Amino acid sequence: EDVFVSSKLHPESRSFKSALAAGRESCASLGLGYVDRMLVHTPRGGKLVEVYDALLQLQEEGIVRSVGVSNFGQEHLEALEYYGRPAPVVNQIEMHPLVYSERVQLAEHCNASGIQLEAFCPLLCGSAEFLQYGTLPAMAMRTGRTPAQLLLRWCIQRGFTPIPKSCRPEAQLENSQIFDFELKPDE
């Protein structure tokens, strides 16, 4: 109850039957009676609506509490809507300032549809080279924040849920210290 557990179907789960089996196996391998959220990993390579229906079936069975998607474009989300499926609770996509301009329409569509955008790779894949890109170092110096904190705050202020990856406790602490400042609209 204290931890929110999210899992993804393996990309090879491309049919109703395989997705249903993979979802059950994922939950069982975690040793839990349910997972809080299960995601369709990708819309490519299979029967999108069937795979999504498998997760809805797992939700009906109580194995999955909520259903989301990953790497879905607007056309994939619209296909689910066209076939009368409920909107996913989340769409997990790569999102950070370097890809924002090409994904702003998708972000707006998710927002208008009540789908939370979950930003993976919000720290530019953790690349030290990318963290020194453009205006980030100067902004970090000016604000007394790290480039990582600036990127995470950028996500928060746009309504995205960032999911940074870090194995280091000091980085995890740093990543959590983003709620006591705001970026200017043009930053």
Side-chain angles (χ1 to χ4, degrees), residues 29-48:
S29 70
L30 290 168
L32 303 171
Y34 67 90
V35 294
D36 294 289
R37 181 175 57 220
M38 181 79 63
L39 305 177
V40 176
H41 193 278
T42 178
R44 291 161 184 78
K47 298 180 178 181
L48 168 65

Side-chain angles (χ1 to χ4, degrees), residues 86-170:
V89 296
V90 69
N91 185 14
Q92 186 184 93
I93 64 169
E94 181 176 357
M95 182 58 85
H96 49 71
L98 297 181
V99 298
Y100 181 70
S101 65
E102 61 195 56
R103 298 192 178 156
V104 67
Q105 286 183 313
L106 175 58
E108 289 170 352
H109 177 79
C110 287
N111 187 48
S113 301
I115 302 167
Q116 180 61 41
L117 196 143
E118 193 170 69
F120 76 80
C121 293
L123 303 181
L124 309 172
C125 301
S127 166
E129 176 185 344
F130 283 147
L131 290 176
Q132 296 306 311
Y133 181 80
T135 60
L136 272 176
M139 283 178 61
M141 289 287 287
R142 188 178 74 253
T143 62
R145 300 296 175 156
T146 67
Q149 289 173 319
L150 295 174
L151 290 166
L152 294 172
R153 187 67 204 173
W154 178 89
C155 286
I156 294 294
Q157 284 184 220
R158 279 156 185 78
F160 310 146
T161 303
I163 50 172
K165 176 186 173 196
S166 179
C167 299
R168 298 179 303 118
E170 62 275 11

Side-chain angles (χ1 to χ4, degrees), residues 1-17:
E1 294 295 318
D2 293 337
V3 176
F4 187 90
V5 178
S6 184
S7 185
K8 281 185 188 176
L9 289 178
H10 191 278
E12 295 299 314
S13 301
R14 297 181 180 161
S15 69
F16 181 87
K17 186 177 178 181

